[in-house]
């Protein structure tokens, strides 16, 4: 199993709102509705290099979002 988030990784995240999963892709392949986010987006950029169990705070226009990396595949 991958030990850190990179392009092509599918990342399962847990937050106070529940669980979410994203696949990190290049900007031309991004489709947020389908769970594919760009490595250049605020969320994608913040997740790159993170490991399972890491806590991540991501600043977005709506405010700070807090996640825990549950798994990487």
């Amino acid at each position: 199993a991958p030990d850190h988030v990179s392009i092509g990784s599918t990342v399962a995240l847990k937050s106070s709102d529940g669980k979410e999963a994203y696949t990190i892709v290049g900007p031309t392949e991004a489709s947020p509705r389908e769970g594919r986010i760009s490595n250049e987006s605020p969320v994608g950029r913040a997740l790159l290099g993170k490991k399972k169990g890491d806590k991540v705070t991501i600043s977005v226009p709506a405010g700070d979002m807090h996640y825990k990396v549950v798994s990487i595949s």
Side-chain angles (χ1 to χ4, degrees), residues 7-30:
I7 293 179
S9 296
T10 297
V11 186
L13 303 169
K14 182 178 178 183
S15 71
S16 59
D17 294 336
K19 292 184 180 179
E20 300 175 40
Y22 298 111
T23 300
I24 311 298
V25 297
T28 59
E29 300 169 307

Side-chain angles (χ1 to χ4, degrees), residues 22-45:
Y22 298 111
T23 300
I24 311 298
V25 297
T28 59
E29 300 169 307
S31 179
R33 284 192 197 136
E34 296 175 14
R36 295 190 315 262
I37 58 171
S38 168
N39 63 312
E40 296 178 0
S41 70
V43 175
R45 200 171 25 247

